[in-house]
Amino acid sequence: MAGNWLSWLRPKDESAAPMGMYISPYVSIKNVNLEPQDALKNPTVFACVNVLAETVSQMPWSTVDATKAGFAPVDHDLNKLLRRPNSSMTRVEFKKKIVSDLMVYGNVYLLKIMTSQGRVTELVPFDPPKIKCTISMSGARTFHHEGGRTYSEREIIHIRDFISLDVTGLSRVEQAAELIVQANTLDSNLTRSTRDSSKLSGVISVAESVPPEQAAAFTADWKKKYGGDVTLLGGGATYTPMTKSSPADSETQELTKLEIARIASIFRVPSAFLELYDGSKYSNLSQKNSSFYRDSISPLTKNISEKLSQALITDPDKEIAFDPTELTKGDLAATTKIANESFNAGILTLNEARNLAGYSAVDGGDKFVEAPKSPEPTSHNDYDANSTGQYGPRTSEGYSNE
């Protein structure tokens, strides 16, 4: 068979490379070694860590009176340190660093810069991979920096996330490494599927028989010219396109959502906060935020505040705490309604109610109002419905409508 009919397939540049590289969907993910910092390249991991770090970093913190309910700030020398933890970081950056290290590595190491009198003037975070923590037979911990210096427990504040029998906290990323690699593999396959969806692939049949070497040359030239895979068969000069999967396929979408939800559950971030509907129903923003604070943020901030309090405060009546007011009060309409009802019921003063709703205090607004008394219940023995549907006092002769 003449080979000149194949010439229309041949690229002008015979050295043209195939369009893209094939990524095998069959990747072994058993016993994978995933470096924690590399896990942040996964979009879901990055989003979860960012949501938690951003949320906590925006929450005010202060030294408070531990004997009082709620967030009760007090004047304390430690507040200056909380406002500016060190010379190179703002308090927002500092809190972000704590949360991100805790989520990714499972450990936070803060070096206490102290005066000769023992007063802490700065808190400097170390990168967790650079610290090796060991424990002696007596239970004392030491922290060896890869730079060569070894620190004692007096010098380092060690905050752990998930605590097991080990001296260090468990990394959520390391515990979920296989799941994260599986999600990365899915993303790679979706990228390949999207790229390949524009390539022409299928089956071409011709009338005459085709020698194997010419069929191989034909398919090779087709791939160079169009990037797709084609099969050359004998029989009727037709082109049958191959159906390819795409990211828009329902099965692909559901699998992607499942992977996102599974990773998000490890970090206790509701899928709704990643703009992915997971079936959860919230009547309003207040309920959504309250659930997120109770299940995700509160355990995280409590762990951080208790560890800092233990390391920095000696007074048992004082502690470091985060203020959850802005996170839990929800939308303005619901908050204003609660503030108004609490004021009318005598639970809050006017200024406390205004503060809850985000308004400034007013003169004379620090007094409680007397809650209205409930009306006396009406006895059914004295009132009943008459035949006309009207009510009146019952008498021996019938009903009076007076």
Side-chain angles (χ1 to χ4, degrees), residues 143-214:
F143 306 90
H144 181 75
H145 192 275
E146 66 175 19
R149 174 78 185 275
T150 299
Y151 300 90
S152 67
E153 285 185 294
R154 180 176 178 272
E155 299 171 286
I156 295 289
I157 301 176
H158 182 197
I159 307 174
R160 294 179 288 174
D161 184 24
F162 187 89
I163 300 176
S164 64
L165 297 177
D166 200 355
V167 66
T168 57
L170 290 179
S171 166
R172 302 190 190 196
V173 166
E174 291 180 351
Q175 295 303 306
E178 291 186 7
L179 180 59
I180 296 172
V181 171
Q182 181 174 315
N184 289 342
T185 303
L186 176 62
D187 288 341
S188 297
N189 290 336
L190 288 178
T191 300
R192 177 177 59 84
S193 176
T194 302
R195 183 189 61 221
D196 289 347
S197 61
S198 61
K199 298 177 181 179
L200 296 179
S201 301
V203 177
I204 293 181
S205 57
V206 293
E208 64 270 31
S209 61
V210 182
E213 63 277 6
Q214 289 193 356

Side-chain angles (χ1 to χ4, degrees), residues 339 343 348-369:
F343 170 71
L348 299 177
T349 66
L350 176 60
N351 281 339
E352 288 174 334
R354 288 177 63 85
N355 180 66
L356 180 62
Y359 298 102
S360 59
V362 296
D363 294 336
D366 294 324
K367 295 182 180 180
F368 291 95
V369 298

Side-chain angles (χ1 to χ4, degrees), residues 48-105:
C48 289
V49 173
N50 189 56
V51 165
L52 295 173
E54 288 280 358
T55 302
V56 173
S57 69
Q58 299 302 315
M59 296 174 65
W61 63 356
S62 176
T63 307
V64 301
D65 189 338
T67 64
K68 295 183 179 180
F71 185 75
V74 296
D75 186 17
H76 197 281
D77 292 339
L78 190 58
N79 290 336
K80 182 179 179 181
L81 179 66
L82 296 179
R83 285 192 297 269
R84 190 64 182 270
N86 59 67
S87 58
S88 61
M89 302 177 75
T90 66
R91 56 186 169 184
V92 172
E93 292 174 329
F94 182 74
K95 285 182 277 189
K96 279 185 179 179
K97 173 67 172 174
I98 289 178
V99 176
S100 60
D101 282 354
L102 207 56
M103 293 297 97
V104 176
Y105 299 99

